[in-house]
Amino acid sequence: MNLWCCLWFNREEEDKEAVIHDERCQLVEPGMNNNDDEDIFGNVNSDEDEEIEAGNYEANFRREFLIDGFDSWPAVRRSIGESSSVSAAVIPNSGPESPVADENRDSSHKRAKFYNECNFDDLASTSKVNYSMDYADFDSSIQPSNNSCYGDFALVCSGEDGNGVEDGGGNDDDNSELADQEIVRMDLTDDLLHMVFSFLDQNNLCRAARVCKQWRAASTHEDFWKSLNFENRDISEEQFEDMCRRYPNATALSISGPSIYLLVMKAISLFRNLEVLTLGRGQIGDAFFLALPDCTMLRELHINDSTLGNSIQEISIVHERLCHLELTKCRVMRIQVRCPQLKTMSLKRSNMAQVVLNCPLLLELDMGSCHKLPDAAIRAAATSCPQLVKLDMRNCSCVSDETLREIAQHCPNLGFLDASYCPNISLESVRLPMLTILRLHSCEGITSASMAAIAHSSMLEVLELDNCSLLTSVSLDLPRLQNIRLVYCRKLADLNLRAISLSSIQVSNCSVLHRINITSNSLQKLALQKQDSLTTLALQCQSLQEVDLSECESLTNTVCDVFSDGGGCPMLKSLVLDNCESLTSVRFISTSLVSLSLGGCRAVTTLELTCPYLEKVILDGCDHLENASFCPVGLRSLNLGICPKLNILRIEAMLMVSLELKGCGGLSEASLNCPLLTSLDASFCSQLTDDCLSATTRACPLIESLILMSCPSIGLDGLCSLHWLPNLALLDLSYTFLVTLQPVFDSCKQLKVLKLQACKYLTDSSLEPLYKGGALPALQELDLSYGTLCQKAIEELLSCCTHLTRVSLNGCVNMHDLNWGHSQGKFPELPGISILSIASSYENNHVSSEQPIRLLQNLNCVGCPNIRKVFIPSTAHCSHLLFLNLSLSANLKEVDVACLNLCWLNLSNCSSLEVLKLECPRLTNLFLQACNIDEEAVEAAISKCTMLETLDVRFCPKISSASMGKFRAACSGLKRIYSSLSTSSA
């Protein structure tokens, strides 16, 4: 593997080694110039070939890099055993018959070669050379000196390949050696490469220069270096001058730092095509401004944070072609500008006391935050520019109305004025008819009388009056006004706008604003949040679509007329009236309204919506609502939240599919015309009668889910009406006073879920049609939690309802021990438990073909106080049982379960548990929290649960930290153990 090493040489080493040949050895870069006898710097090459001695190779090769007086260059050393053909490849004056000269004649078609055996990154780190055109890319830790850094900069621009890979020809030995190496070739013409490089910034151009000679030549083309940036660069005057000579046609230059004066003087003398000059953070003497006219092509001059002049007295800027001048944060006593072609000028934040302008074509003038400029100086400067169209004088506290009047007279085309933070102006008698943008932030002199002057600006498009503390009313008729801001106008009480083109308005934190009248044909969105005093709103806005009046606590019911048909907003789609606590009766008749929000409107008692296209309504917090009518509306779903006082409800919604009346405890009269309704939740509607339920089932025959939990007024007549619901799949009658379910059994043939929690008036025979008569054949889930059914009724139910997949018996005091032991095909202690028996191909026990397949998957017996023993052997054939929950069974002492597919077992808070036997090979989660079981029993139990992943033994008093290791040894697949001693272990 060939290695190229780049070394650093100081001046002493060069003097010792460079002992022969000319004072200036030239390195020819083939293909850079049309003239083959000139190098890239225009130096004429000698006709004689130079001979490089093998014994003094480094000195000669080093000397060839000393071009145009550069002090420090990285050298390329030949590795031990390297062919001498490399030397021939870099001979500067190869004869016309040499192979190198032949190849160099047509360098425009030369391929860029990538040598795989040479690692450029390692090479760069070894030589400590960072080839970059941007000085910011150099690591200061590897820079021997500023000159060395500059040497790297110049190396990329010079004729030598920075990566040490030669692209020329060689002798036969070298060619044969390269033939054995893997070379990836990519043909790119110079024109194509030039086009590709035109998309790169200068940093990436420097990186591209390290690839090969062709890329280096392309990346250093002057077309890519029209703009030179030396901001924050540590560069000497000699280096800077050399760069100026290298790219004399540069059009843009940026310099900053304490040495900018010397550098910019060099630049003025060398750059004849300079168009943009940027200077900053230094002192610029008088000589610069005297020499400035010599830069005849200069168009833009930017000076930032600098001291102008030698004595900080007066400077003059004179230039015939300068178009843009920017003096930001500059320090000078007086300044005079005479630039007949100047178009824009900025003096922002500069420290000066006098400005004299002779710029007849000036269009934009920025004097913002020039605190030392007196009123007279500002007036003289502005009035001397008759073509002025933009004037920025914010934070010039001394500006007066007299100055504005003079400016209005001498600058008739003024269209932009920013006089923010000018406390002495009131605009009295000021007429600016061409003004389009006016900004008056925090102007204490602006009052309601100032609106008369603003009204004369008929071309005004943008008006900003933020924090004008004395402004009490705004009344304007401006046909072109598009944007207005009124923020923190603490005394503003009345806003009257007639602006046909108004498209944006921002009014906020105007605490006493009580009346708003807006006329506009372009306004589409209006936001007036937190206007506590707003009582009257009048709108004539033909295009208005969104209105937000949140927390306007003083709005009255008359606001409904504004947003109803005929109220002036025919296109309104979204209306937000959240927390408008003065609204008591809301009535909207609108053919355009799509969304309405009344969240937090606690005083509303009556709601009437006739909005056929209304799709969304929010009524959260309207807890005093008594009468609600939605006739007609386009709602697909409606949630009335908790409206305990709602008494009368009328809904006509042809598209509604979901209705929630949860918590409407006072609802006694409901008329629903919703033919597509599929879900009705009337939980806790304690006054809902049988008549109301009957009318609903007739009008909504597609209901699939009906929740009547805690509806004690529902009786037998109400249940009989369920025959109108042929698709009913879920029925919740929990916490009702029903004594029979026969209408349900007769009518609900498609019922899949039946919930009867805490139905304490159901007798032991109430469920007989389920397990004796074959009622509800599609039933899958049954919840009998907290019921009073006896043990026998429960056993018979579980024995016959073979299609049940989920059964909940939580809190059943009559639920006793679960002993599912098999004895001659019967279960003497719990006969009904045969629902869990299925024929299994993997078992040898014979099961009668008459025994039906049971589908129970989830059994919940949480908080059953009388369960003491649970015995489910493998002969019970509970192959579908996946989840078993026995938590909070305080008297449970023994659990013996052998279920093939059980994966989740919860025995938490079974404080009496002492015996645990498990044969559940697929169990993954076992919860024993707060159980009085010892570690030996747990260890023995989990040893047969080979797939167990999670074990919870928190607050188990008989289990110590030493048990964790035993548990892991007993069950190798255990991933997580939760204990009170250790939060988790994985």
Side-chain angles (χ1 to χ4, degrees), residues 836-840 842 854 856 876-882 899-902:
L836 302 177
S837 302
I838 69 169
S840 303
Y842 58 85
R854 311 302 176 177
L856 187 63
H877 306 300
C878 301
S879 59
H880 283 73
L881 189 62
L882 301 176
C899 293
L900 176 66
N901 292 317
L902 188 68

Side-chain angles (χ1 to χ4, degrees), residues 47 222 330 333 347 400 413 482 583 694 849 899 933 943 945:
D47 293 335
E222 65 177 359
C330 291
M333 185 64 67
L347 303 173
S400 63
N413 297 322
Q482 299 177 10
L583 295 178
S694 300
S849 60
C899 293
I933 191 171
S943 63
C945 302

Side-chain angles (χ1 to χ4, degrees), residues 908 924-930 938 949-956 959-960 964 967-968 974-986:
S908 299
T924 59
N925 296 271
L926 176 60
F927 301 92
L928 299 172
Q929 186 178 149
V938 175
E949 296 180 356
T950 301
L951 175 62
D952 189 346
V953 291
R954 287 175 290 182
F955 310 110
C956 293
I959 295 179
S960 63
M964 303 300 109
F967 295 160
R968 292 187 180 280
L974 196 59
K975 296 180 179 180
R976 292 170 293 274
I977 300 179
Y978 296 96
S979 68
S980 55
L981 304 175
S982 176
T983 303
S984 65
S985 177

Side-chain angles (χ1 to χ4, degrees), residues 443-587:
C443 292
E444 298 177 0
I446 298 298
T447 63
S448 300
S450 306
M451 298 302 105
I454 296 176
H456 283 84
S457 301
S458 58
M459 306 293 290
L460 197 63
E461 297 178 359
V462 178
L463 177 60
E464 298 180 4
L465 299 170
D466 293 1
N467 204 26
C468 292
S469 56
L470 298 180
L471 187 62
T472 58
S473 65
V474 173
S475 181
L476 294 172
D477 186 354
L478 298 171
R480 294 179 178 267
L481 187 65
Q482 299 177 10
N483 190 329
I484 185 171
R485 283 175 53 96
L486 294 162
V487 180
Y488 286 104
C489 296
R490 303 185 185 279
K491 294 186 177 181
L492 180 64
D494 191 358
L495 174 61
N496 189 355
L497 286 178
R498 183 177 178 82
I500 305 301
S501 302
L502 187 67
S503 60
S504 175
I505 177 172
Q506 184 173 354
V507 180
S508 63
N509 298 100
C510 299
S511 55
V512 299
L513 182 62
H514 66 271
R515 183 178 180 274
I516 295 179
N517 188 351
I518 300 175
T519 301
S520 170
N521 291 337
S522 301
L523 187 64
Q524 296 185 1
K525 185 176 181 179
L526 177 63
L528 301 171
Q529 303 98 326
K530 297 183 180 181
Q531 301 303 319
D532 298 340
S533 301
L534 184 62
T535 58
T536 304
L537 182 64
L539 300 175
Q540 291 295 326
C541 303
Q542 303 301 312
S543 300
L544 190 62
Q545 296 185 15
E546 300 180 24
V547 176
D548 189 348
L549 299 173
S550 301
E551 301 185 49
C552 294
E553 298 179 356
S554 299
L555 275 178
T556 62
N557 297 331
T558 57
V559 73
C560 300
D561 299 331
V562 177
F563 300 114
S564 293
D565 289 347
C569 304
M571 301 295 292
L572 185 66
K573 296 182 181 301
S574 175
L575 177 60
V576 179
L577 296 171
D578 292 348
N579 298 308
C580 295
E581 298 186 358
S582 296
L583 295 178
T584 58
S585 180
V586 176
R587 292 179 171 87

Side-chain angles (χ1 to χ4, degrees), residues 59-94:
N60 288 285
F61 192 59
R62 173 63 183 162
R63 205 167 350 94
E64 289 178 341
F65 278 81
L66 300 178
I67 300 174
D68 290 341
F70 297 156
D71 292 336
S72 179
W73 291 82
V76 178
R77 295 192 60 183
R78 187 168 41 132
S79 63
I80 298 175
E82 185 68 46
S83 174
S84 61
S85 62
V86 179
S87 302
V90 296
I91 295 176
N93 295 319
S94 300

Side-chain angles (χ1 to χ4, degrees), residues 131-158:
Y131 300 99
S132 176
M133 295 295 287
D134 194 337
Y135 287 101
D137 292 339
F138 288 97
D139 186 354
S140 60
S141 64
I142 63 172
Q143 296 181 31
S145 65
N146 188 37
N147 291 337
S148 298
C149 178
Y150 178 67
D152 293 330
F153 185 94
L155 177 61
V156 180
C157 301
S158 66

Side-chain angles (χ1 to χ4, degrees), residues 360 362-363 385-391 407-417 431-436:
L362 190 66
L363 300 177
C385 307
Q387 302 297 324
L388 203 63
V389 297
K390 182 177 181 179
L391 178 60
I407 293 174
Q409 293 176 4
H410 291 84
C411 306
N413 297 322
L414 189 65
F416 176 99
L417 176 61
R431 300 293 182 266
L432 295 167
M434 301 302 294
L435 203 63
T436 59

